[in-house]
Amino acid sequence: MIWGLLLIALLIAVYAPSLWVQRVMKRYSHPEGRYPVSGAELARELLDGYGLNAVRVEPTASGDHYDPQERAVRLSESHYQGRSLAAITIAAHEVGHAVQHASGYQPFVWRQKLVKWAGRGQQIGVGLLFLAPVLGGLLRAPALIGLLALGGIMAMGSGIVVHLVTLPTEIDASFKRALPMLQRSGYLFADVDPPHARRLLSAAACTYVAQALASLLNFWAWLRMLRP
């Protein structure tokens, strides 16, 4: 009974932030034609206002993000073409990351380095997990299996750390970059929109935290495999 309750509590803790983010995004995706500009048009306008003419604005099927390698703001189709509060707010958030990149904002720079490091770490982790039983069997060394598997899981867990340390960068992109941009743009309805835009920007900032919590389940599953 107690283990069942703990499991339910864990699932709620892991999935509640993600469900909240999805709910907020869905709520403010309507009405779709509320503003005179689409998310893509606003992103282009904001980027040009900062002199970032070389940064592209592109539609994507892999989620809203800013790609620093390609120097591109990428928006999901609904945010790229949509004229909802969600569309223009998320577009401003991603432009906020482009501005961070252009200005050399240190937490953004550190995050990019951590992302590369975590990516390599996860690749090494997967390799170690596959090699552990093979080498352990060939060498007949159970202790070696445990050490390699533990090293692999810890390497894979680096992605969780990266997601968690991203939060200050996301908060800056939302509230020190995107919100002032939106307020200066003149597109928000000053009497009603700001509180809702803040809620959306909070959801945008929490996206990576939700991903980190969800990845804990995979991490926990691998840890359970180490148990005798």
Side-chain angles (χ1 to χ4, degrees), residues 64-66 73-75 89-99 178:
D64 307 289
H65 64 280
Y66 169 67
V73 168
R74 296 196 173 115
L75 302 172
T89 302
I90 299 306
H93 175 84
E94 300 306 336
V95 169
H97 286 310
V99 174

Side-chain angles (χ1 to χ4, degrees), residues 98-208:
V99 174
Q100 288 175 336
H101 185 202
S103 65
Y105 178 63
Q106 279 303 308
F108 180 87
V109 175
W110 298 333
R111 179 175 83 165
Q112 295 313 115
K113 293 179 179 178
L114 281 172
V115 166
K116 291 180 181 178
W117 172 77
R120 295 191 188 101
Q122 288 177 323
Q123 291 174 350
I124 293 170
V126 170
L128 288 174
L129 287 170
F130 277 110
L131 284 174
V134 176
L135 291 178
L138 289 174
L139 300 175
R140 296 184 179 180
L144 179 61
I145 298 177
L147 285 174
L148 289 175
L150 181 61
I153 289 174
M154 296 306 293
M156 289 180 66
S158 60
I160 298 173
V161 176
V162 170
H163 283 316
L164 291 175
V165 300
T166 352
L167 188 56
T169 305
E170 294 297 320
I171 291 173
D172 179 87
S174 279
F175 296 104
K176 291 189 177 179
R177 316 278 177 170
L179 186 58
M181 288 181 206
L182 287 168
Q183 291 171 330
R184 290 194 301 266
S185 73
Y187 293 122
L188 292 183
F189 295 99
D191 54 338
V192 294
D193 281 350
H196 303 294
R198 289 189 182 92
R199 190 171 301 151
L200 269 163
L201 290 169
S202 296
C206 288
T207 299
Y208 285 95

Side-chain angles (χ1 to χ4, degrees), residues 41-64:
E41 290 168 341
L42 178 65
R44 183 73 273 154
E45 180 181 321
L46 295 175
L47 288 167
D48 291 347
Y50 277 91
L52 301 178
N53 311 79
V55 177
R56 304 190 304 277
V57 181
E58 302 173 344
T60 182
S62 57
D64 307 289

